[in-house]
Amino acid sequence: MTEDYLARIGTLIRDARRHKRWTQSELAESLGTSQSAVARIEQGKQNLSLEMLARIGESLDSEFVSLGTSVPQNLRIQGGVKLSGAIDVRTSKNAAVALLCASLLNRGRTTLRNLARIEEVNRILEVLNSIGVRTRWLPDSNDLEVIPPAQLDLEAMDVAAARRTRTVIMFLGPLLHSVDRFRLPYAGGCDLGSRTVEPHWSALRHFGLDVTATGGFYEATVNTTITPGRPIILTERGDTVTENVLLAAARHDGITVIRNASPNYMVQDLCFFLEELGVKIDGIGSTTLTVHGLRDIDVDLEYSPSEDPIEAMSLLAAGVVTGSEITIRRVPIEFLEIELAVLEGMGMRYELSEEYASANGHTRLVDLRTQPGPLIAPTDKIHPMPFPGLNIDNLPFFAIIGACAQGSTMIHDWVYENRAIYLTELTKVGCKVQLMDPHRVMIEGPTRWRAAEVMCPPALRPGVVILLAMLAAPGTSVLRNVYVINRGYEDLGARLNALGANIQTFRDI
């Protein structure tokens, strides 16, 4: 082993020992060796066999050797502490990926201000770069510059990156006006069960798009003689399908009417962006959108997406579960009003500032201060609805909030058949969770939280829910393989640490 490698191993072992609150002598006794040998190991001055690494890992409840080419990132959380201070809500993940897809409509330079630098964005950038789009982060900022090529090279698409995100399906809307035949890899992203793409096909057929799924790809052909002759009725009020139709309508030289459209936050941000490109849209914020498209778009544009209501809810849940008073700044209040009404019914107290405008000039923001206090379980089940109802992505946070409340809370996720199942992982940190069926769980509170080691679920919001529960659990918890959290949150651990949390990142070797 090289000296550098030994030093890295030694540092991992030292950190794991300290988090277990063992002395070098206690670890030496467990291993049947001397304290001086442990000291040499931690200083990187002792060669180690795989057998010895395995023994150390067993003693310290940490896996130092893992098989495979990738090394997952893990979090070590020292829980049971109060949070305090103020934290800003970052801009929307879902708006960011929609705007990146929308940049394909523009032959000019697009600059997206204060964009979320998250793994989901990274995957889309990898795909864009592979087909010829030039992107660069401006110095010392979260501002991203996007410059399209004269001709996209779709045959060169980074298939591996595309398969790791479901956002790639939103390339359909922009691309159908650029080429008459192309293919996209099957969409990936969170594992939330069967998520049909049929609503996309049904809606985009109005623009002449025909898609056949074969061999791991969506094979798309476009009949340019077909254009929308009547309103497009969406079969589901989905965010992504609404965005896809908006992207297609933006470059249709005519008027497109979309009914049963989602008026959710990321859709509104996309509409505001398209209007900056010169596309006129009537009915923003409603379920009927009338789009006056342009055949050609060539604009040098700067745009700032609004703040993320799901991140705001995550931070609110962190305050509730730790019994802390924190101030969450830049909360997009329009998209959290139902959630706050439900929380008020559970007895939660909070304070709101006067409203002010987001950088996009449209979204209403407030500062929200949480106030600790006893909660009671709601009398009715908590379930999501299309906006302006309770957001489907905010539903999992009510599981840990319900775990803090006196009584039984029913969480009904009628959309995804896997996400309720993932919430049963909360039992490992002390929560009383009863799985009623694939869509419903019953949470019994209040919870006596306990530290644990948990493998992060392969879905973004349940993963964050477990992380927040670990903040409440006294002792040291470990959450393994947190890539899915990094898909949707930028520096979440470090930002919670600024409020007083103790979250450390580490990797197994």
Side-chain angles (χ1 to χ4, degrees):
M1 293 183 180
T2 66
E3 290 184 7
D4 178 66
Y5 194 71
L6 284 171
R8 288 165 59 199
I9 294 175
T11 299
L12 284 173
I13 293 171
R14 181 201 63 195
D15 289 347
R17 173 181 61 78
R18 288 177 176 175
H19 276 281
K20 194 165 183 178
R21 298 184 178 179
W22 274 14
T23 64
Q24 289 183 341
S25 296
E26 287 172 319
L27 177 56
E29 182 180 353
S30 174
L31 297 173
T33 188
S34 65
Q35 184 270 334
S36 59
V38 170
R40 289 195 301 273
I41 289 170
E42 293 186 356
Q43 293 165 10
K45 298 178 180 179
Q46 177 74 49
N47 278 319
L48 295 169
S49 65
L50 287 176
E51 180 187 0
M52 177 56 80
L53 278 173
R55 289 173 56 200
I56 295 172
E58 185 176 351
S59 295
L60 296 177
D61 300 322
S62 289
E63 183 183 19
F64 296 110
V65 181
S66 61
L67 300 178
T69 56
S70 62
V71 182
Q73 185 183 94
N74 312 310
L75 297 177
R76 186 176 284 115
I77 301 102
Q78 188 69 39
V81 298
K82 297 283 187 182
L83 307 180
S84 62
I87 185 170
D88 288 348
V89 177
R90 297 282 176 90
T91 57
S92 163
K93 164 235 179 190
N94 287 323
V97 294
L99 297 179
L100 285 172
C101 296
S103 70
L104 290 171
L105 299 169
N106 186 18
R107 292 197 295 114
R109 182 193 312 266
T110 301
T111 303
L112 299 174
R113 299 292 184 190
N114 198 25
L115 205 65
R117 297 186 74 160
I118 54 177
E119 289 300 323
E120 186 80 352
V121 166
N122 291 339
R123 297 294 80 74
I124 295 300
L125 291 182
E126 289 169 357
V127 176
L128 290 173
N129 295 157
S130 69
I131 61 177
V133 179
R134 288 191 292 139
T135 64
R136 71 181 182 107
W137 293 101
L138 300 182
D140 303 318
S141 75
N142 274 34
D143 299 342
L144 181 75
E145 183 182 77
V146 183
I147 302 175
Q151 185 70 39
L152 295 172
D153 185 4
L154 297 178
E155 292 299 317
M157 182 176 291
D158 185 335
V159 173
R163 291 197 191 283
R164 297 184 74 183
T165 169
R166 194 169 187 265
T167 301
V168 74
I169 200 171
M170 284 199 291
F171 279 32
L172 289 170
L175 291 181
L176 65 83
H177 291 294
S178 301
V179 289
D180 57 12
R181 184 179 296 273
F182 61 95
R183 69 177 189 168
L184 296 175
Y186 284 168
C190 291
D191 180 7
L192 295 173
S194 300
R195 299 172 69 178
T196 178
V197 293
E198 179 58 32
H200 294 261
W201 309 157
S202 298
L204 294 176
R205 287 191 187 108
H206 292 262
F207 298 93
L209 182 73
D210 183 67
V211 179
T212 302
T214 178
F217 288 86
Y218 302 123
E219 303 285 348
T221 58
V222 184
N223 183 342
T224 57
T225 66
I226 299 175
T227 57
R230 54 186 173 83
I232 298 174
I233 314 299
L234 302 186
T235 55
E236 68 171 36
R237 197 183 301 170
D239 302 325
T240 309
V241 66
T242 302
E243 290 168 318
N244 229 343
V245 179
L246 278 167
L247 293 170
R251 282 195 52 202
H252 166 55
D253 188 16
I255 297 175
T256 305
V257 177
I258 310 168
R259 292 190 176 146
N260 196 33
S262 165
N264 210 355
Y265 63 97
M266 72 293 282
V267 176
Q268 291 194 29
D269 241 334
L270 177 58
C271 288
F272 299 142
F273 175 83
L274 293 176
E275 288 206 310
E276 293 292 323
L277 289 177
V279 178
K280 181 183 176 184
I281 304 176
D282 301 322
I284 297 175
S286 75
T287 57
T288 298
L289 299 173
T290 303
V291 183
H292 304 258
L294 300 172
R295 184 183 301 277
D296 185 62
I297 299 174
D298 188 351
V299 178
D300 287 341
L301 169 69
E302 295 183 4
Y303 184 80
S304 300
S306 184
E307 285 70 13
D308 194 329
I310 315 304
E311 179 173 289
M313 185 69 194
S314 310
L315 299 173
L316 189 157
V320 171
V321 77
T322 59
S324 303
E325 182 177 302
I326 60 174
T327 298
I328 306 165
R329 297 184 297 226
R330 308 189 67 80
V331 174
I333 186 61
E334 179 181 358
F335 304 100
L336 276 179
E337 288 175 331
I338 302 299
E339 285 84 340
L340 290 174
V342 172
L343 289 169
E344 281 190 79
M346 297 175 68
M348 182 179 173
R349 296 177 295 121
Y350 58 89
E351 294 181 1
L352 299 179
S353 72
E354 294 294 322
E355 292 184 3
Y356 53 98
S358 175
N360 69 8
H362 299 276
T363 307
R364 297 182 288 113
L365 305 180
V366 298
D367 299 339
L368 184 153
R369 184 165 66 90
T370 64
Q371 297 181 3
L375 300 178
I376 56 172
T379 55
D380 197 5
K381 66 179 183 296
I382 300 178
H383 65 282
M385 290 291 287
F387 180 79
L390 191 147
N391 194 298
I392 179 64
D393 284 336
N394 279 336
L395 185 67
F397 299 108
F398 281 94
I400 51 172
I401 293 172
C404 299
Q406 183 70 47
S408 300
T409 299
M410 170 73 78
I411 306 293
H412 183 196
D413 188 339
W414 54 267
V415 179
Y416 302 124
E417 64 267 27
N418 283 352
R419 197 150 64 173
I421 295 173
Y422 294 145
L423 293 177
T424 61
E425 290 291 282
L426 287 168
T427 58
K428 296 177 180 177
V429 288
C431 186
K432 297 177 182 177
V433 183
Q434 182 182 359
L435 183 67
M436 312 297 288
D437 56 50
H439 293 274
R440 297 182 303 156
V441 292
M442 184 74 78
I443 312 289
E444 187 70 32
T447 297
R448 185 174 180 178
W449 302 104
R450 62 172 181 266
E453 180 167 333
V454 181
M455 182 65 69
C456 190
L460 173 57
R461 311 306 172 183
V464 176
V465 162
I466 292 174
L467 169 59
L468 299 182
M470 288 176 169
L471 288 179
T476 302
S477 295
V478 172
L479 186 59
R480 292 196 170 274
N481 195 359
V482 295
Y483 171 81
V484 70
I485 294 177
N486 296 332
R487 276 188 57 226
Y489 291 79
E490 182 181 0
D491 301 327
L492 180 59
R495 293 166 62 215
L496 289 171
N497 285 347
L499 296 177
N502 185 348
I503 302 172
Q504 296 187 0
T505 301
F506 71 99
R507 296 180 186 269
D508 300 320
I509 294 180

